[in-house]
Amino acid sequence: MLETPERAPARRVEVRRSKRRTRTVSAYLDGDTMVVLIPARMSAAEERKWVAEMERRLHRTEVRKKSPARRSDDALLARCAELSARYLDGKASPVTVRWVPPMRTRWASATPTQGTIRVSDRLREVPSWVLDYVLVHELTHLLVPSHNADFWALCRRYEKTERAIGYLEGLSAAAGLGITGIDSEPGESDGDPGDAG
């Protein structure tokens, strides 16, 4: 399940104590693990307090990094125009881009013949760079319907493609969704006739 802005996500925590660290506490994400660095002399109660505080801080940072495109279909369409101009020489111009209820087998889909893109509501809370990848992927399908070499050459113009694919695979696995890719191969359907994937 995706996190909501109101609460921090449940994640694995690893606390590392350091004798060299005397006062400061810091934290960072390593995959799905939050690593908290604390002074070795800190008590168990102080450790719990700082773990909770660092979880809140990291969550606030993640929320701030979420895309404004998550707010509406119009915002999605505007973001697609920006991404098309930046990565696809402005050649991909969808007629509509809309949020849809969660799809069973994929994160998003495009119908090149109609110029439409549908994005699963499951992606509303992902970091902006992940949503941007999904949008570039679907925009590329408006130009190249299949997942061939030409498709991937265009799609990989987005510099975080591999990282975003890894993020989505991890998200699917952690939530038990069984989603193995962004979209289907051409001709496959997810209950929406005409999906090119």
Side-chain angles (χ1 to χ4, degrees):
M1 185 171 160
L2 291 173
E3 65 187 85
T4 60
E6 295 80 37
R7 65 178 179 80
R11 62 174 53 124
R12 215 167 69 85
V13 175
E14 179 181 328
V15 176
R16 295 182 188 166
R17 293 176 172 265
S18 170
K19 290 181 182 177
R20 291 184 299 172
R21 190 174 284 267
T22 58
R23 291 190 319 238
T24 61
V25 175
S26 62
Y28 64 92
L29 292 177
D30 183 12
D32 65 346
T33 301
M34 179 179 72
V35 179
V36 182
L37 308 170
I38 63 173
R41 63 170 176 69
M42 199 171 269
S43 70
E46 289 173 311
E47 175 184 316
R48 285 190 301 276
K49 176 189 136 232
W50 278 107
V51 166
E53 175 60 23
M54 298 315 280
E55 181 93 34
R56 280 190 294 276
R57 289 182 188 183
L58 283 173
H59 177 68
R60 280 194 307 264
T61 300
E62 288 175 336
V63 169
R64 280 195 302 270
K65 290 181 180 177
K66 290 178 186 153
S67 174
R70 67 191 170 110
R71 292 188 203 126
S72 69
D73 292 350
D74 290 339
L76 265 181
L77 185 61
R79 185 60 181 157
C80 280
E82 294 169 11
L83 293 168
S84 178
R86 183 170 179 183
Y87 297 104
L88 302 170
D89 305 318
K91 293 178 182 173
S93 299
V95 175
T96 62
V97 183
R98 61 187 170 96
W99 291 105
V100 297
M103 299 179 206
R104 287 182 293 114
T105 60
R106 53 195 156 157
W107 299 110
S109 64
T111 305
T113 57
Q114 297 174 4
T116 61
I117 294 174
R118 289 159 306 286
V119 182
S120 174
D121 276 333
R122 286 188 173 114
L123 296 177
R124 282 191 189 261
E125 301 302 322
V126 299
S128 60
W129 56 272
V130 176
L131 180 58
D132 281 353
Y133 162 69
V134 172
L135 295 175
V136 169
H137 185 107
E138 298 308 327
L139 286 165
T140 303
H141 274 310
L142 298 182
L143 305 174
V144 182
S146 64
H147 291 112
N148 61 23
D150 292 338
F151 170 87
W152 286 110
L154 287 173
C155 192
R156 286 193 171 107
R157 288 181 180 181
Y158 180 67
E159 62 278 357
K160 294 182 180 176
T161 291
E162 298 305 320
R163 184 176 169 203
I165 290 170
Y167 182 100
L168 292 169
E169 287 172 350
L171 180 62
S172 176
L177 298 173
I179 298 174
T180 58
I182 295 299
D183 47 28
S184 64
E185 292 296 324
E188 292 181 8
S189 177
D190 188 39
D192 191 354
D195 281 352

